[in-house]
Amino acid sequence: MSTIAENIAAIRARIDTAARTTGRTGADITLVAATKMNDAARVREAVAAGIDACGENRVQEMTEKLAQGAYTGAPLHFIGHLQTNKVRQVVGKVDLIQSVDSPELLAMIEKRAAGQGIVQDILLEVNIGGEAAKSGFSPDQIHAAAEMARALPHVQVRGLMTIPPVAAEPHGNLAYFEKMRWLYVDINAKIYDNKMEYLSMGMSGDFADAIRCGSNMIRVGTAIFGARDYTK
């Protein structure tokens, strides 16, 4: 069985190969370790092996691991669905909230950040596949959401994020990734004066395709830590 460090090294090699097809290198891609259901010791291993950031899905799990110093040495991102009643536990605790998916959540993040006197970095989540079971702004809503967010003084939009539908076949998400890239380029140029930095898309099974379509931030869990045991 490969170690976490060996897995990360192999992923880095694949990232670099994919990035070079677009005129970039692996150094241009941010590798976020999706640390859900991995204990503090395993997270520390990933940090020591050089991941660029830790990404946590659950507020309670994040809070517990913060108390254990699990993320020390790496930026912390929140990448899961965030309920408005848990915003106070996340704002100011993480470097980036990747999963801002509604006007209500935007408003609550602004309120909490204002109360702390900080500016919270965020990504706007796009439900690129229009799936009823997933959160996120629809492609038709995302321009208005970006305009709303730009007007908030305690929120800074650093880019866009998406989780496409589960692909039924290899490379099945290319069309979604391409659509996200064009949304990102359009919104960045028209609303943010090309100051947005991150297009976060791609996970363990499809990150190479996502990078080839323009992603510069990927969220990888299983390929780093192994399959999660949901029976526990």
Side-chain angles (χ1 to χ4, degrees), residues 11-21 24-27 29 211:
I11 291 164
R12 289 287 192 193
R14 291 178 59 198
I15 289 171
D16 189 66
T17 298
R20 288 183 184 278
T21 67
R24 298 174 293 170
T25 71
I29 313 299
I211 291 168

Side-chain angles (χ1 to χ4, degrees), residues 30-198:
T30 299
L31 173 58
V32 180
T35 52
K36 180 174 72 173
M37 297 176 66
N38 285 281
D39 62 22
R42 289 171 63 77
V43 175
R44 290 190 199 99
E45 279 189 60
V47 172
I51 51 97
D52 297 312
C54 297
E56 204 61 75
N57 284 72
R58 299 169 177 170
V59 174
Q60 182 177 347
E61 193 174 339
M62 183 197 84
T63 301
E64 291 171 355
K65 289 183 203 170
L66 271 172
Q68 297 166 351
Y71 313 112
T72 301
L76 175 59
H77 297 182
F78 191 81
I79 61 176
H81 176 62
L82 180 57
Q83 297 171 300
T84 54
N85 65 350
K86 294 186 177 179
V87 167
R88 61 183 174 79
Q89 296 170 263
V90 176
V91 168
K93 302 288 198 308
V94 303
D95 297 276
L96 184 68
I97 302 174
Q98 291 206 26
S99 46
V100 178
D101 58 12
S102 71
E104 295 77 17
L105 183 57
L106 258 177
M108 186 57 71
I109 292 171
E110 167 66 22
K111 178 180 177 180
R112 290 293 178 184
Q116 295 181 35
I118 64 169
V119 176
Q120 177 67 60
D121 286 350
I122 67 166
L123 305 183
L124 296 174
E125 181 175 358
V126 181
N127 185 350
I128 196 64
E131 297 175 277
K134 282 184 181 168
S135 54
F137 296 99
S138 72
D140 291 338
Q141 296 169 330
I142 189 60
H143 284 77
E147 291 277 14
M148 175 187 174
R150 187 181 64 168
L152 301 175
H154 298 92
V155 167
Q156 181 173 356
V157 176
R158 303 289 299 278
L160 304 181
M161 180 268 248
T162 197
I163 304 171
V166 175
E169 56 190 36
H171 314 297
N173 280 329
L174 285 172
Y176 293 117
F177 290 148
E178 287 284 356
K179 187 174 182 180
M180 272 300 301
R181 179 167 67 94
W182 287 114
L183 274 176
Y184 173 81
V185 169
D186 189 52
I187 289 171
N188 204 8
K190 291 179 179 177
I191 300 175
Y192 286 100
D193 300 320
N194 290 314
K195 292 178 181 175
M196 289 199 307
E197 301 164 75
Y198 299 120

